[in-house]
Amino acid sequence: LNKLHYFRRSGVQHLFLQGVAPNKEIHQQKPEFIPSGKLNMVRTTMEENFLEVTLHFLSDFVSHQHCPPKEIISHLIKQILLHPHRGEILKDIYTLLIKIQMYVQPNSLVLLTLQLCQAHTISICPQEKPPGWLLFLQYVVQTLEDDFQQNVRLRLLQKSIAKKVLSCDLCFNNVKEVVEWLVAAVTGVGFSQPQEQLQKTTSAEARSEHSSSAPLMASTDQAEAAPPAFFAQKVMFLLQRMLSIAVEVDKSPNCSSCKIADVMFPFILNIPLRSQREAFLNTMESQLLRCKLLELLFQHSCDVPTTLPLSLAKILYFLSHSSVLLQYQDETAVWQRWDEMLQYLNLLLLSYQNVVLEHLRSSLSDRMDLIIQKAKPKLQDSDDVSHRDIQLKIEDFMSRMQQVLGQPFPQQIKEKLCMFRDLFLIVTA
C-alpha cells in the first residue's frame, strides 16, 4: 500500500535471485564487517586474481551479520563486472552485489555508489561498454531505486543518491547524458551490443550461411532482431526508469519534466521511424514527462500555436489545428501519418488524465499528503469542456480528413477517432 501510494513501483526484477527475501527485523540490524581472518582470505584470492574463488568466499561470508568493506565492493564492480569478463561470472557477481545490498541499508553505500555512478554510469559511452555494462546499469538503477524508496518514506529525498546524480537542479548535464543514451538505444545510432552478444550473433549467422537446411532469411532476421530484442530494449527500460526518478527527485516535478522534455524534443523530431518513436514514448515511465513531450510535439505542429495551459481544451485545440511535421525515412502514406498523430493524441489524453488524477505535478511529499487526505484532482477552467464541444471538434476533423485523404476513408482513422471520442467522454464524466 505504501509503494502504491508513494511511488507505485515494484523495482527492478532480479532474474537470478529467486526465493530470496530480506527479513525486516534482520534488515534493521546494522551488519558488521566480515572478520579480518576471512577478509584476508578474500584479499589473497583478489591479489592472485582467482575470481571464482573470490566470489565463492564472499558468497559464503556475506550475511545479515557481516558485509564486505567498500573497497571490496568497488573491486567487484571495477575489476570484474566492468572488465571484459563473460559468461557465468557476470551473473554470479551481479547476484552477489544484490545480496550485499539486501543486507546493507542503501544509505550505507551512498558514497561508494555515487562515486561509481559518476565514474562509470555517467561517463561510459554506450559504444565503449564492456559485456557486464547492462548488469552494472541494472545494479545502479536498483541502488537508486532502493535508496529513493527509503528516503521517500522518510521524506528526505534531498539526502538520496538520486538527488546527487540525477537532479535537474544540481546536475542536469547527467540527465542530458541519460537522454542521449536513450535516443541511441532507441535508434541504434552510435549504440552497440557487448562483444559477447555480437559474437553470438555473428557465429549464428555463419552457421546459417553454411547450413544447406537453414532458411535463407535466418541470418538477416537474427541480425535485425537481436539488438532491440535482447539488449537495447532492456537498456531502454532502465534509462527510462532513471529519467522517471530524475523527474521526481526535486521539489517541482513540473519544472523538472519541462526541462527534460525540452532536451528530448529535438531528438524525437529527428527520429526517422514510427516504430522507434513509439518505443521512445511507450517505454516512458513518467506520465508527466510524456505529457510535456507530447505537448511540445503538438504545439510545434500547430498552424497557430495556443497560449492555453495543458488541459482538455488544449488537447481539443490540437485536434483542430495540428498538422503532420514528423520526419519519415520511407515513403509513408499520408493517412498513416495522420494515424500516428491521432495515436499520440490519444496517448496525450490518457497521460494527462493520469497526471491530474494522481497529482503528479505536485512534489512527492505533497502528493503523499494529498493522497492521505483523499484530495480531489485540481482542475483548471480550460478542463471544462462539454460533450457538444467534443462532437463538433471531431466532426470538423473528419471534414478536414475527407478533403486531405479523399475516399475511401481509412478504417484506422475512424477507429482512432472513435477511441478519442470515447476517452474524452469518460474523462469529462
Side-chain angles (χ1 to χ4, degrees):
L1 182 61
N2 286 340
K3 212 170 260 187
L4 175 68
H5 277 184
Y6 294 165
F7 203 46
R8 301 184 64 197
R9 277 295 300 175
S10 59
V12 176
Q13 300 301 311
H14 302 296
L15 302 179
F16 312 129
L17 296 176
Q18 298 181 1
V20 180
N23 183 296
K24 289 186 178 180
E25 294 181 1
I26 290 175
H27 198 63
Q28 291 172 357
Q29 302 172 8
K30 187 176 181 180
E32 300 177 351
F33 287 137
I34 295 170
S36 58
K38 293 181 177 180
L39 268 184
N40 289 337
M41 295 169 62
V42 173
R43 290 193 173 102
T44 300
T45 61
M46 287 166 50
E47 291 169 3
E48 298 294 334
N49 201 29
F50 294 148
L51 303 181
E52 290 81 0
V53 182
T54 301
L55 295 180
H56 176 74
F57 280 158
L58 284 172
S59 297
D60 285 347
F61 298 158
V62 168
S63 68
H64 64 275
Q65 295 176 326
H66 298 112
C67 67
K70 292 178 180 178
E71 62 267 20
I72 299 290
I73 301 175
S74 179
H75 175 86
L76 294 176
I77 295 173
K78 293 179 180 179
Q79 302 304 320
I80 304 179
L81 192 60
L82 291 176
H83 266 233
H85 301 292
R86 294 182 174 84
E88 289 295 311
I89 196 169
L90 294 178
K91 181 187 78 173
D92 294 340
I93 184 63
Y94 177 79
T95 304
L96 176 60
L97 287 169
I98 294 300
K99 182 180 178 182
I100 294 170
Q101 189 158 296
M102 290 173 69
Y103 290 132
V104 182
Q105 291 285 356
N107 59 357
S108 301
L109 297 173
V110 167
L111 181 59
L112 173 65
T113 310
L114 171 59
Q115 293 168 345
L116 291 171
C117 283
Q118 292 173 332
H120 296 285
T121 304
I122 306 298
S123 63
I124 290 181
C125 300
Q127 302 96 312
E128 302 168 357
K129 56 189 173 297
W133 187 81
L134 178 60
L135 287 176
F136 174 69
L137 181 60
Q138 182 164 317
Y139 168 72
V140 169
V141 173
Q142 183 63 45
T143 303
L144 291 169
E145 178 75 43
D146 291 345
D147 182 67
F148 188 90
Q149 294 285 355
Q150 179 185 342
N151 283 287
V152 165
R153 287 191 288 272
L154 298 174
R155 302 195 182 216
L156 292 173
L157 274 182
Q158 69 274 12
K159 295 186 177 181
S160 66
I161 306 173
K163 183 71 176 180
K164 297 177 176 68
V165 295
L166 288 177
S167 167
C168 292
D169 294 338
L170 302 179
C171 46
F172 191 53
N173 283 337
N174 290 349
V175 182
K176 287 180 180 178
E177 282 206 38
V178 175
V179 172
E180 291 171 3
W181 293 0
L182 177 60
V183 174
V186 169
T187 61
V189 177
F191 190 88
S192 61
Q193 300 177 87
Q195 275 308 118
E196 182 182 22
Q197 289 183 340
L198 287 176
Q199 288 171 354
K200 286 181 180 178
T201 303
T202 305
S203 62
E205 290 177 3
R207 286 195 300 272
S208 297
E209 289 174 357
H210 289 89
S211 172
S212 59
S213 61
L216 292 177
M217 292 299 293
S219 61
T220 306
D221 291 344
Q222 285 179 338
E224 291 178 353
F230 296 109
F231 187 79
Q233 195 175 56
K234 294 178 184 177
V235 172
M236 226 183 295
F237 282 109
L238 290 169
L239 295 177
Q240 291 281 24
R241 180 69 198 131
M242 292 179 78
L243 292 176
S244 180
I245 292 174
V247 168
E248 300 287 358
V249 76
D250 294 314
K251 289 184 178 180
S252 175
N254 204 47
C255 291
S256 296
S257 59
C258 285
K259 290 179 182 178
I260 300 174
D262 285 339
V263 174
M264 287 180 162
F265 177 61
F267 288 113
I268 199 168
L269 278 184
N270 292 292
I271 291 177
L273 296 177
R274 175 175 178 175
S275 59
Q276 294 173 345
R277 286 190 289 267
E278 289 178 352
F280 190 86
L281 291 166
N282 291 336
T283 58
M284 198 169 286
E285 283 200 13
S286 172
Q287 300 279 354
L288 182 59
L289 180 57
R290 183 189 288 152
C291 254
K292 297 294 183 182
L293 183 59
L294 286 172
E295 181 185 10
L296 286 175
L297 190 63
F298 280 106
Q299 185 80 347
H300 172 74
S301 69
C302 280
D303 46 10
V304 181
T306 176
T307 57
L308 283 170
L310 183 57
S311 57
L312 296 180
K314 188 169 189 175
I315 295 174
L316 277 180
Y317 183 90
F318 288 152
L319 180 68
S320 300
H321 294 82
S322 290
S323 55
V324 181
L325 296 178
L326 292 171
Q327 289 194 12
Y328 287 85
Q329 196 174 55
D330 49 4
E331 295 182 3
T332 306
V334 175
W335 73 265
Q336 290 178 313
R337 301 188 179 204
W338 284 104
D339 181 71
E340 183 181 5
M341 188 275 279
L342 285 173
Q343 180 174 327
Y344 295 157
L345 201 60
N346 281 321
L347 190 60
L348 175 59
L349 180 56
L350 285 170
S351 298
Y352 177 69
Q353 177 71 348
N354 285 324
V355 167
V356 173
L357 291 179
E358 298 174 16
H359 314 284
L360 296 184
R361 285 177 287 207
S362 303
S363 67
L364 268 176
S365 57
D366 291 343
R367 195 182 312 161
M368 289 158 58
D369 294 332
L370 291 169
I371 291 172
I372 291 169
Q373 297 163 9
K374 297 182 179 179
K376 292 183 178 180
K378 188 176 181 181
L379 301 177
Q380 307 170 90
D381 291 340
S382 47
D383 283 321
D384 185 16
V385 296
S386 67
H387 290 182
R388 178 170 174 76
D389 293 333
I390 299 167
Q391 191 60 39
L392 287 175
K393 295 292 185 184
I394 290 177
E395 289 174 0
D396 288 345
F397 183 82
M398 289 283 285
S399 299
R400 182 155 62 119
M401 287 298 96
Q402 292 282 2
Q403 295 177 358
V404 172
L405 304 177
Q407 294 291 347
F409 201 71
Q411 184 63 28
Q412 288 90 332
I413 299 289
K414 291 181 180 178
E415 290 172 357
K416 286 191 171 57
L417 274 175
C418 288
M419 183 188 297
F420 183 77
R421 180 196 61 208
D422 293 343
L423 286 173
F424 236 111
L425 293 177
I426 293 170
V427 168
T428 53

